[in-house]
Amino acid sequence: MDLEQAFRKGSFRSLLRTAFSNGIVRRTALPFIEKKMWHRIVENNPDTLPFQVKKDKYDTTVAIVHSVARGVSRGTISKKALNCLFDTLLDNVFLTKQRLDAAEHLGFYPPLFVLVSPGKKCNLRCTGCYACSDSQSAAKLDWDTFDRIITEKQRLWGSYFTVISGGEPFMWEDNGLDLLDIAIRHPSQFFLVYTNGTLITKYVANELAKLGNVTPAISVEGFEEQTDNRRGKGMHKRILQAMENLREAGVPFGISVTGTRENAEIITSEEFNDFYFEKQGATYGWIFQYMPIGRKHSLEMMVTPQQRLEMYNRTWRTVRERKIFIADFWNSGTVSSGCISAGRPGGYFYITWDGDITPCAFVPYSVGNIYDVFQTGGNLNTILESAFFQRIRQWQRDYGYAQPAEKVGNWLCPCVIRDHFDVFFKAVQDTQAKPIDKEAIDALADPGYHGGMVAYGSNYSHLSDKVWSEHYMAKQTVNS
């Protein structure tokens, strides 16, 4: 098969579809696809990014392609799910006319997605839960509001990607309708659902397979000992059963891992990768380094700056050498060109079960409430105009993504709250953003918390600045 000729006659999308659907072609096509991606992402990309940043983006894209290809070849990603990936994600994530029109109206490119936690209720009670969820929590979004958020972001921004968290999302329901009904209602959306996995029975897995537009990201803390210690005895076995149910149904799934001082080495080890990505068949992985917010928040649970740098090294080795798609929301900051919160172009913002609107799931300070916005004639664009969001987006622009390559800030320290707490704290004070829970109120008033967060950011900056300057800011070329 002449891949170059086929590519010229068709498109990159059609080449990907052909490669994923045919095992013989796939072996030949993957190196060709990598070459084309290098040309697009690195060679043809404007010199507005440091060279190594472009290479990080390329390596991550290659890992995504190989991770999906492995799932297809193993039969853990069904044809239905693969088609949804192409039809809802690939066609709509990039700059479609709808997104270009939205950018013209807003004055900047719109967010790529919205993170929604429709319900606070959860059947577990995990230590350090950012949402303070439990089985008695009644707070939830009603169906009409949840439905309108998804409908409106698609209509206003051309956004076809929705991320769902909680609480436990599979416990949410309103007037007899649940998360599966939301996915049925919005077949052109692709949903990433963060879940503890305990409610993914064979029936639920089979229903997800019929839909094809939902991928669960199942929470683990390491192996059985670490997971059961944080989530409850027997939880790991229930998680593995959920993974088996999803594999059998052909539903692509991933893992979501909270990195703490206790498990940082385990969750970035080769044994961990072998177990979840090879043996269990996870297609992707997300690492969320523990943030000291929520239930019984503690600075002592955070990974140390030294652990964080080692996690950075190990995660990138996994991506580059094993072509496994795993991203750390802090250590993979180069892939997203820095912080993506506050409705940044290509980024997102967060809406809670109470309707509170915050820049990020890990920023428990609100600019308003979605119920109030809708009731006063506003829409999702109204949120983007808030002073708090604008302040954070200005910092994001100044720090990196709107700067020339030689002036980009250290994207190994991308986070406005974790790595630049003084900047964040002043933005909260100046714009009068409101804490959404008691824990957030306490944190804001605690000088020990403030000092600890500032010190953490400073210490990690000191460690990572050398890597950034030598590895990212040094002059390099495509042929380097």
Side-chain angles (χ1 to χ4, degrees):
M1 180 182 182
D2 189 335
L3 291 172
E4 186 67 50
Q5 186 178 16
F7 174 69
R8 287 175 181 170
K9 287 182 177 179
S11 65
F12 193 67
R13 177 183 181 279
S14 62
L15 176 63
L16 282 171
R17 186 184 285 276
T18 301
F20 285 136
S21 61
N22 187 307
I24 297 173
V25 175
R26 184 161 55 248
R27 287 189 292 272
T28 307
L30 285 178
F32 179 81
I33 289 169
E34 289 183 26
K35 179 181 176 182
K36 290 298 179 184
M37 289 192 302
W38 177 265
H39 183 67
R40 286 188 175 195
I41 298 170
V42 180
E43 291 182 344
N44 273 8
N45 224 340
D47 290 327
T48 53
L49 292 172
F51 173 81
Q52 186 58 46
V53 169
K54 293 191 282 188
K55 190 171 183 302
D56 284 0
K57 292 175 185 286
Y58 165 78
D59 289 335
T60 299
T61 307
V62 168
I64 292 171
V65 169
H66 279 266
S67 294
V68 174
R70 280 192 296 270
V72 172
S73 66
R74 293 168 177 167
T76 55
I77 300 179
S78 68
K79 185 176 180 180
K80 171 88 173 180
L82 186 64
N83 286 338
C84 279
L85 280 169
F86 278 106
D87 295 339
T88 63
L89 259 188
L90 197 61
D91 280 354
N92 295 311
V93 162
F94 302 107
L95 292 180
T96 61
K97 184 179 184 304
Q98 195 175 358
R99 289 184 66 72
L100 291 169
D101 289 344
E104 185 176 347
H105 173 74
L106 289 169
F108 61 92
Y109 287 114
L112 187 63
F113 66 99
V114 172
L115 168 62
V116 185
S117 287
K120 191 177 182 181
K121 182 180 288 188
C122 184
N123 55 336
L124 305 184
R125 190 178 174 85
C126 303
T127 303
C129 174
Y130 82 97
C132 298
S133 298
D134 59 53
S135 61
Q136 303 304 312
S137 298
K140 67 178 181 179
L141 293 176
D142 62 70
W143 169 274
D144 289 341
T145 302
F146 192 10
D147 175 61
R148 179 175 171 180
I149 292 167
I150 299 169
T151 301
E152 204 165 87
K153 75 185 188 65
Q154 181 172 321
R155 177 176 59 83
L156 293 176
W157 308 332
S159 167
Y160 292 83
F161 182 45
T162 302
V163 183
I164 308 296
S165 187
E168 169 49 48
F170 287 101
M171 292 188 77
W172 176 82
E173 62 82 28
D174 185 55
N175 290 328
L177 300 171
D178 59 18
L179 195 62
L180 296 177
D181 293 300
I182 280 285
I184 292 169
R185 164 79 170 154
H186 297 277
S188 60
Q189 289 284 316
F190 197 85
F191 295 89
L192 168 63
V193 180
Y194 290 105
T195 172
N196 62 41
T198 60
L199 302 180
I200 302 179
T201 61
K202 289 185 183 295
Y203 169 78
V204 170
N206 287 330
E207 291 301 302
L208 293 175
K210 292 175 188 176
L211 289 167
N213 65 336
V214 180
T215 176
I218 300 175
S219 298
V220 298
E221 311 297 334
F223 298 108
E224 183 172 20
E225 178 184 351
Q226 296 79 30
T227 301
D228 283 6
N229 279 347
R230 185 171 187 225
R231 297 186 168 270
K233 188 172 178 57
M235 287 302 108
H236 193 254
K237 286 185 172 61
R238 294 177 66 180
I239 286 168
L240 296 188
Q241 182 60 59
M243 292 180 178
E244 181 180 331
N245 296 341
L246 293 166
R247 283 196 306 272
E248 290 178 354
V251 177
F253 68 91
I255 55 172
S256 173
V257 193
T258 301
T260 69
R261 192 166 301 190
E262 287 72 31
N263 71 357
E265 287 73 27
I266 291 171
I267 64 174
T268 52
S269 68
E270 291 303 313
E271 294 79 10
F272 181 88
N273 293 333
D274 289 340
F275 184 78
Y276 287 105
F277 296 107
E278 299 298 338
K279 186 174 180 180
Q280 299 302 322
T283 302
Y284 57 88
W286 304 110
I287 296 176
F288 297 91
Q289 296 176 34
Y290 170 77
M291 276 291 295
I293 61 172
R295 180 183 297 131
K296 295 182 180 179
H297 58 262
S298 167
L299 296 174
E300 296 303 311
M301 281 184 68
M302 297 173 73
V303 297
T304 67
Q306 293 78 13
Q307 285 177 314
R308 179 171 167 180
L309 190 60
E310 181 58 26
M311 289 173 69
Y312 162 85
N313 291 323
R314 289 185 175 198
T315 300
W316 277 111
R317 279 200 300 271
T318 299
V319 170
R320 293 188 178 109
E321 296 175 10
R322 299 188 63 168
K323 294 181 171 60
I324 291 172
F325 175 46
I326 184 164
D328 181 317
F329 269 64
W330 288 270
N331 284 340
S332 303
T334 53
V335 179
S336 59
S337 297
C339 173
I340 62 172
S341 72
R344 197 200 87 174
Y348 85 109
F349 59 81
Y350 177 46
I351 302 175
T352 77
W353 43 81
D354 287 320
D356 289 322
I357 304 159
T358 78
C360 168
F362 302 107
V363 176
Y365 301 93
S366 175
V367 300
N369 190 282
I370 196 64
Y371 290 110
D372 294 335
V373 170
F374 287 164
Q375 287 170 7
T376 55
N379 58 29
L380 294 184
N381 285 342
T382 308
I383 297 163
L384 299 176
E385 298 168 0
S386 76
F388 190 35
F389 277 22
Q390 290 190 52
R391 181 72 167 269
I392 292 174
R393 290 201 302 269
Q394 184 62 54
W395 174 81
Q396 292 164 338
R397 288 192 293 270
D398 293 344
Y399 190 70
Y401 84 83
Q403 300 299 319
E406 66 274 12
K407 292 187 177 179
V408 172
N410 179 357
W411 277 335
L412 306 187
C413 300
C415 180
V416 71
I417 184 171
R418 188 187 191 90
D419 301 320
H420 305 272
F421 193 80
D422 269 348
V423 173
F424 167 76
F425 185 77
K426 193 168 191 317
V428 170
Q429 288 187 315
D430 289 351
T431 62
Q432 298 183 328
K434 304 299 183 186
I436 65 172
D437 54 34
K438 181 181 181 302
E439 289 74 17
I441 294 171
D442 293 344
L444 209 59
D446 182 359
Y449 183 89
H450 184 282
M453 290 297 290
V454 171
Y456 183 93
S458 176
N459 291 338
Y460 189 66
S461 175
H462 178 73
L463 273 182
S464 62
D465 279 349
K466 186 172 187 290
V467 177
W468 180 256
S469 61
E470 294 181 359
H471 191 54
Y472 288 90
M473 299 307 287
K475 290 289 185 183
Q476 299 179 68
T477 66
V478 170
N479 297 318
S480 295

